[in-house]
Amino acid sequence: MKTVLCYGDSNTYGYNPSNGLRYPEDVRWTGRLQALLGKGYRVVEEGCNGRTSVFDDPLEGWKNGLGYLRPCLNSHKPVDIVILMLGSNDLKETFHASPRRIADGVAVLVEVIQSFTREKQGFEPDIILVSPPEIGEGIGSSGFYGAFLENAVGRSRAFPKWYSRVAKEHGCIFFNAAAYIKASEEDSLHLAPQAHKRLAEELHKVIAGLR
């Protein structure tokens, strides 16, 4: 059985923009991916609302994705595939981070995954580096406005350029989520059920190509 670790933020957790709760397992893209992959795979959901790549949130520093990454990899080893989708929360105004700087932070996570798994399990997993969906243009009327400003929209559109570079430099599989899905109209950040379905379907195609 192969283990697929999905390491991300609220869109991996399955945040429901309609009510602030969590989508059921059969709605979340991670749960849908498990159903598509079947019994030969174990999909591990490691999504956390507000998780960043390497930035310490001034109020919730424990949501720094770097701090939990090694314990997470160690708990679930051996890990065969890692789907890494982070960066959206790095667009928060408090960090003042450019797309390139955000991609540099994601590159640190990729390097940790590769070096740590070499040491602890004897081989590196395939890494699917996901460039997150764009921030919606309606962010100005979102309940998350203030944490995210209008400038987050343009910066999110630059993600594919920089994430693809990281993937190439580190031997990862690049996946541009924005080519298939977009943020919901409810809050311009989180995914609607149909987007979860499409994301699972497209990632399943990528994993099927690794068999």
Side-chain angles (χ1 to χ4, degrees):
M1 178 176 289
K2 293 187 175 182
T3 295
V4 182
L5 174 64
C6 303
Y7 196 73
D9 53 30
S10 52
N11 276 326
T12 297
Y13 170 82
Y15 181 94
N16 185 338
S18 297
N19 56 23
L21 301 177
R22 191 182 193 186
Y23 286 125
E25 183 179 356
D26 61 353
V27 174
R28 303 193 295 268
W29 70 262
T30 46
R32 289 179 177 274
L33 181 61
Q34 176 68 79
L36 290 168
L37 289 171
K39 295 181 180 179
Y41 289 80
R42 179 174 70 102
V43 175
V44 178
E45 300 176 299
E46 282 287 358
C48 176
N49 295 339
R51 177 177 282 152
T52 64
S53 60
V54 298
F55 296 103
D56 285 325
D57 187 289
L59 298 178
E60 298 176 303
W62 55 272
K63 291 186 175 181
N64 182 325
L66 179 59
Y68 181 60
L69 184 55
R70 289 181 181 88
C72 179
L73 289 166
N74 200 57
S75 294
H76 299 296
K77 71 177 188 286
V79 176
D80 300 282
I81 300 169
V82 176
I83 301 177
L84 179 62
M85 185 168 72
L86 284 172
S88 295
N89 289 302
D90 298 16
L91 294 166
K92 288 179 177 179
E93 192 65 14
T94 188
F95 301 124
H96 302 290
S98 68
R100 180 171 185 173
R101 186 181 174 201
I102 293 170
D104 286 344
V106 172
V108 171
L109 301 183
V110 170
E111 291 165 2
V112 167
I113 293 169
Q114 293 174 331
S115 62
F116 189 79
T117 53
R118 279 198 307 269
E119 176 188 353
K120 297 299 183 181
Q121 65 182 36
F123 69 93
E124 296 179 18
D126 291 306
I127 301 175
I128 302 173
L129 179 56
V130 181
S131 177
E134 298 172 359
I135 304 298
E137 292 187 359
I139 192 66
S141 59
S142 170
F144 292 92
Y145 186 70
F148 297 86
L149 299 184
E150 288 86 353
N151 61 46
V153 178
R155 285 184 291 146
S156 72
R157 291 174 179 168
F159 276 168
K161 171 185 175 181
W162 297 108
Y163 278 56
S164 62
R165 180 174 297 186
V166 171
K168 183 177 181 179
E169 291 175 350
H170 292 81
C172 303
I173 300 162
F174 172 67
F175 181 89
N176 181 14
Y180 305 101
I181 59 173
K182 61 181 181 179
S184 67
E185 294 184 358
E186 280 90 349
D187 66 7
S188 296
L189 284 173
H190 298 103
L191 305 179
Q194 186 59 33
H196 276 271
K197 179 176 183 293
R198 181 71 188 279
L199 182 58
E201 291 170 347
E202 296 301 329
L203 286 171
H204 175 251
K205 293 177 184 177
V206 175
I207 294 173
L210 298 175
R211 294 174 179 173

